[in-house]
Amino acid sequence: MNAPIQHPIVSRDHWIAVRKALLAREKELTRLGDRIAAERRALPWVRLEQDYLFDTADGPRRLSELFQGRRQLLVQHFMFGPGWEQGCKSCSFMADHLDGMAPHLAHRDIALLAVSRAPLAEIQAFRQRMGWRFPWVSSHGNDFNRDFHVSFTPEERARGEVFYNFHMTAFPLEEAPGVSVFSRDDTGQVFHTYSTFGRGVEVMMGTYNLVDLTPRGRDEDGLEYTMAWVRHHDRYEDMAAPAAACCGSARAQA
């Protein structure tokens, strides 16, 4: 952890004046966020030509069958490849927020789902360890991860750059984080409406919003990659051990 920042100590009146100046900037950011959200909702859609088949706890299911009776589906592209000992720690940090959000999103006609390329048995074992309840399906054997540019072949990585976050870039791992949104019409046709990658996945990290309110913040300045401090929520007792690189290195890309 970085050394504490030395802050000036001032009167309450001085603090309020400085705080009000910052509040004006915060309001600018809020209004900009509202305008961008409107632009996001207005994006055109892409009709999916393939109704991907996934392995689920209820047996094989098509993407169009994973909406849980709702019209909108939010998917976390969770970094967990075949044969991995455990899921990515940073993706796990993201997923820790899902169960609490699920009932609220359901009332906005939104279903939640995590997708990984690991076989279903490996996913279920890790899901049980972490105590999660949200649906998590396996794309092992289909092209979903490749088509949405969150899994890369050895040949792609050997070329030095892969297509990620809508451009060619160097990426150190075979799996990448992301969030994608889909909509389904009354005929069962599925449309891709939105995806975000890199630091865009912070939309799922409500903890970060609270951390950013504190004086120390994320404590990531000067670190080799972001989220180095994050652990799986059942591993925080061993803070002396260095954290292995994961999707935090990808998140450093704006």
Side-chain angles (χ1 to χ4, degrees):
M1 296 267 183
N2 296 336
I5 299 173
Q6 297 300 315
H7 291 268
I9 307 302
V10 299
S11 69
R12 173 61 62 179
D13 289 343
H14 183 101
W15 183 88
I16 289 176
V18 176
R19 177 65 187 93
K20 288 175 69 175
L22 178 60
L23 178 60
R25 297 284 289 159
E26 291 174 336
K27 288 183 177 294
E28 289 178 14
L29 181 60
T30 298
R31 294 177 184 124
L32 176 60
D34 290 342
R35 293 195 295 270
I36 292 174
E39 294 177 21
R40 185 183 301 121
R41 293 192 298 272
L43 281 173
W45 296 1
V46 176
R47 185 190 307 271
L48 294 192
E49 300 300 327
Q50 182 178 171
D51 197 3
Y52 299 90
L53 183 65
F54 298 90
D55 289 330
T56 84
D58 299 316
R61 293 289 187 274
R62 297 284 179 185
L63 180 62
S64 59
E65 299 175 305
L66 298 177
F67 280 69
Q68 304 164 38
R70 299 179 178 90
R71 289 179 176 268
Q72 302 171 104
L73 175 65
L74 192 151
V75 170
Q76 179 188 0
H77 300 288
F78 194 118
M79 294 172 63
F80 192 6
W84 288 21
E85 179 182 352
Q86 57 188 355
C88 162
K89 68 181 181 67
S90 301
C91 291
S92 298
F93 177 70
M94 294 167 61
D96 279 336
H97 297 80
L98 290 181
D99 283 333
M101 293 189 293
H104 304 286
L105 292 174
H107 283 277
R108 292 300 304 162
D109 201 22
I110 302 168
L112 282 174
L113 187 70
V115 175
S116 297
R117 206 164 51 86
L120 184 62
E122 296 176 11
I123 288 174
Q124 290 176 322
F126 183 62
R127 179 174 177 266
Q128 181 177 10
R129 168 191 148 186
M130 301 301 284
W132 292 324
R133 303 186 305 276
F134 59 82
W136 191 354
V137 304
S138 171
S139 60
H140 190 67
N142 73 32
D143 294 326
F144 182 79
N145 280 46
R146 290 287 314 284
D147 290 349
F148 285 90
H149 307 291
V150 289
S151 291
F152 315 110
T153 66
E155 292 76 19
E156 288 172 325
R157 294 168 59 212
R159 290 195 290 267
E161 289 188 327
V162 300
F163 187 77
Y164 179 64
N165 204 10
F166 308 108
H167 68 289
M168 298 301 295
T169 184
F171 196 88
L173 303 171
E174 62 187 293
E175 307 290 335
V179 177
S180 289
V181 182
F182 302 90
S183 183
R184 186 184 65 173
D185 65 16
D186 291 336
T187 71
Q189 176 64 56
V190 177
F191 303 86
H192 177 216
T193 69
Y194 182 74
S195 284
T196 187
F197 306 97
R199 288 197 61 182
V201 302
E202 289 184 12
V203 295
M204 285 183 57
M205 301 176 187
T207 300
Y208 256 159
N209 293 330
L210 296 181
V211 168
D212 286 344
L213 300 181
T214 66
R216 291 184 63 165
R218 304 185 186 192
D219 250 340
E220 293 176 346
D221 293 342
L223 296 180
E224 183 179 355
Y225 62 96
T226 59
M227 300 187 78
W229 60 273
V230 170
R231 305 291 191 271
H232 293 95
H233 64 235
D234 60 347
R235 296 292 186 267
Y236 272 108
E237 62 273 16
D238 186 13
M239 292 302 293
C246 198
C247 64
S249 57
R251 287 183 52 265
Q253 306 174 50

